[in-house]
Amino acid sequence: MTIAEDRVQDTPVTALEPATAAKPATGPNRRRWERPALLALLVATGVLYIWGLGKSGWANAYYSAAAQAGSQSWKAMFFGSFDSSNFITVDKTPASLWAMSLSARIFGVNSWSILVPQALEGVAAVGLLYAAVRRWFGPAAGLLAGGVMALTPVAVLMFRFNNPDALLVLLLVAGAYAVTRAVEQGKTKWLLLAGGLVGFAYLAKMLQALLVVPAFGLVYLIAAPVGFWKRIWQLLAALGAMIAGAGWWIAIVSLWPASSRPYIGGSQSNSILELTLGYNGFGRLTGEEVGSVGGGGGGNGGMWGSTGLTRLFDGEIGGQVAWLLPAALIFLVGGLALSARAARTSRMRAGLILWGGWLLVTAGTFSFMAGIFHAYYTVALAPAIGALIGIGAVSLWQHRAHIVARSILAVALAITAVWSSVLLGRSADFVPWLRTSVVVVGLLAAAALLALPWLRWRRVATVVAVASIATGLAGPAAYALDTAATAHTGSIPTAGPSVQGSGFGGGRMGGGGQRGGFGNGGMQAPPNMGTQNGATQPGNGQNGFPGTGTRSDGGGRMGGGGGAGGLLSASTPNSALVKLLQTDADQYAWAGAAVGSQNAAGYQLGSGEPVMSLGGFNGSDPSISLADFQQLVEQKKVHYFLGSSGFGGMSNGGSNSAQQIASWVAENFTAQTVGGTTVYDLTQ
């Protein structure tokens, strides 16, 4: 059947299988509209992700500074060092920095060279998702899956930002495509590729990459068209490929003499294994993250938001990713039920296991993890939601002659319409007319779906299909456009307009704010950044500890100085301070030192010179002792100390060596104020 058929006969339901050829159409067998439609999807995605990208400036200055360091030093690039003199690494494995560092090395250090690679990774992820879904379910399903992912607000946010999540999602979608190819004919090479891609994704964001492994392994074990024991050894080989994909870098860093490499940021023992398995590993699940800022949420909530089954639907998270989550779950359950009697190798069931397993394991982990959690993590759900919507909607539509298929579609559409209205209602002043429109159009389309056998208008099926898609995508598209039109800076960005019921766990903060900023000299400030007296202005800060920013329009961010302000948003030196840092900088290993990486990031990006980040991101890593710092000062390797004494003890355990150093400097050197920042000349 085609969507243009004018009449649907009510018939009993049968096994649900994709109405596509056993082998995907290629070359002349492709539908004439398929390639133009795919090109349109990718071009539109590219425009959405790249247009006006420079207005976010350095975005997350922490990673921008590391990309700058990698563009100046190959050693810094390999280790993921924060500074080109290789004092300390960022608190993540470095794969996501490599593309940015190479781009900055080629095109210079600026916002476009840092952010465009993220956008291109997003376009590639959408294309790979299309390819993976299309192979089993046809081009319409692939296009719908890609479109849903492209318009997911948190995907628009993260593919326009420089956190590690962009590369993580690309590699995991590529892994899912490889698994799809492996399941088709039981080919070992594709399974090994999938394992290698997941392993490399580990180098982007560590244990989060492994959340897809249960789904990848289960779908191959169930659906691959080869013998049971062959499936077992193939999966073991894929496990080996996954270990190798991550292990080569882990092994090099672990075996490298600590005295000749940077300190491993985020760890308390200078150990990459502690970082990947502790602070950024199981500690995220349990909340036991030594050196982190604040404590975990636990069972009843806390600094990172309340945990539980409703977490992904609350004020912090719902508008980021959950627009089509109920429909995706309905299609998953309905599809599994309708394909229950299918053959073991059923592609319908295999596709649902692959993408449904990805969704359930990842969503379940995010819902109940007690440690650090931010709304933007949920970008990892976007491919699975998109795939399930594409698979479920198109497959059920192809079987709409059956009352059960139509009923599932109608229920999913009605719930989506009501849920979209709820999400839109959380921002009362944001396109208020859309809230009513999606409900009216959605419920009418749902009713028409049920009544298709009795509707005689020739084009009714086409109208119902278009209305259904419009209902599902209207809300996320509005949020997506708002996200793309807004500058995002700081450590905890969020998508869409400010909403009621959000808090620190999702990264939205109350209070006003302005864009993050840059100094003038040495490095050119990215375009479209407001300045005042020669320096761009962040939120209200003191002594180099500005307020945290996620949006440039005054919504959704923390204002005020001290506390988390300097922890989450970069310092902003003016031209006088930049000139001071650049003077005779080539005579020192570090032009300056500051407590916390975001403070150091602004000084480093503004001056183009390496700045020592004492204590790493949180200011709580034992990266250097007071005695060792005193020795560096005596050897005249550090020129200035910048800022005040620290964050005020927010860290959850960890070291206070950075605060000891700051206190020693204040007691033994003369303070001067340059461009509103307290500066100590350590050579005087």
Side-chain angles (χ1 to χ4, degrees), residues 170-534:
L170 171 61
L171 291 171
L172 295 185
V173 174
Y177 176 81
V179 169
T180 299
R181 297 295 301 268
V183 170
E184 287 178 5
Q185 295 181 326
K187 296 291 186 180
T188 304
K189 64 179 181 180
W190 286 106
L191 204 58
L192 293 177
L193 177 60
L197 288 167
V198 172
F200 196 70
Y202 188 94
L203 296 183
K205 211 175 179 190
M206 294 161 286
L207 283 187
Q208 186 179 336
L210 304 188
L211 295 179
V212 301
V213 171
F216 286 10
L218 183 62
V219 69
Y220 194 82
L221 185 63
I222 291 177
V226 294
F228 176 76
W229 290 111
K230 184 175 182 179
R231 279 175 270 156
I232 293 296
W233 73 254
Q234 286 176 317
L235 287 171
L236 290 175
L239 176 63
M242 183 181 73
I243 294 173
W248 66 273
W249 187 86
I250 301 291
I252 291 174
V253 175
S254 298
L255 296 173
W256 198 293
S259 60
S260 65
R261 62 160 170 79
Y263 184 92
I264 304 300
S267 74
Q268 295 295 307
S269 60
N270 198 14
S271 166
I272 188 63
L273 291 177
E274 180 202 333
L275 173 68
T276 59
L277 299 177
Y279 175 77
N280 277 325
F282 296 108
R284 297 291 173 112
L285 301 178
T286 64
E288 298 299 323
E289 300 159 295
V290 177
S292 69
V293 51
N300 297 318
M303 192 170 188
W304 310 115
S306 59
T307 61
L309 289 174
T310 62
R311 187 182 211 177
L312 300 183
F313 300 93
D314 66 17
E316 296 172 1
I317 314 299
Q320 308 294 300
V321 75
W323 299 85
L324 292 166
L325 181 54
L329 294 173
I330 290 170
F331 289 156
L332 174 61
V333 174
L336 288 174
L338 293 178
S339 61
R341 296 186 179 182
R344 177 180 67 82
T345 56
S346 162
R347 289 187 177 178
M348 171 59 66
R349 185 168 54 216
L352 293 172
I353 291 173
L354 173 61
W355 299 106
W358 176 330
L359 177 64
L360 292 177
V361 173
T362 305
T365 302
F366 289 164
S367 296
F368 291 97
M369 59 188 289
I372 296 174
F373 174 75
H374 302 307
Y376 69 79
Y377 292 0
T378 59
V379 67
L381 299 174
I385 293 173
L388 289 171
I389 294 298
I391 293 169
V394 172
S395 298
L396 289 166
W397 181 259
Q398 290 169 343
H399 292 78
R400 66 189 182 279
H402 311 308
I403 182 61
V404 173
R406 292 201 311 279
S407 298
I408 295 173
L409 281 171
V411 169
L413 180 58
I415 290 176
T416 297
V418 174
W419 176 233
S420 294
S421 180
V422 170
L423 290 175
L424 289 167
R426 291 175 177 173
S427 300
D429 297 329
F430 180 70
V431 286
W433 59 268
L434 188 59
R435 181 182 180 186
T436 302
S437 300
V438 293
V439 171
V440 172
V441 175
L443 294 181
L444 287 175
L449 272 171
L450 291 174
L452 274 180
W454 300 279
L455 297 177
R456 298 180 178 275
W457 182 38
R458 187 172 181 273
R459 297 295 181 183
V460 66
T462 302
V463 172
V464 170
V466 171
S468 300
I469 293 172
T471 297
L473 296 183
Y479 262 54
L481 292 174
D482 177 82
T483 301
T486 304
H488 293 84
T489 61
S491 298
I492 313 176
T494 52
S498 298
V499 300
Q500 297 176 352
S502 60
F504 192 81
R508 269 184 207 282
M509 318 255 183
Q514 301 168 329
R515 295 177 175 90
F518 314 88
N520 291 325
M523 304 257 315
Q524 182 179 1
N528 301 320
M529 303 300 294
T531 62
Q532 180 177 338
N533 298 326

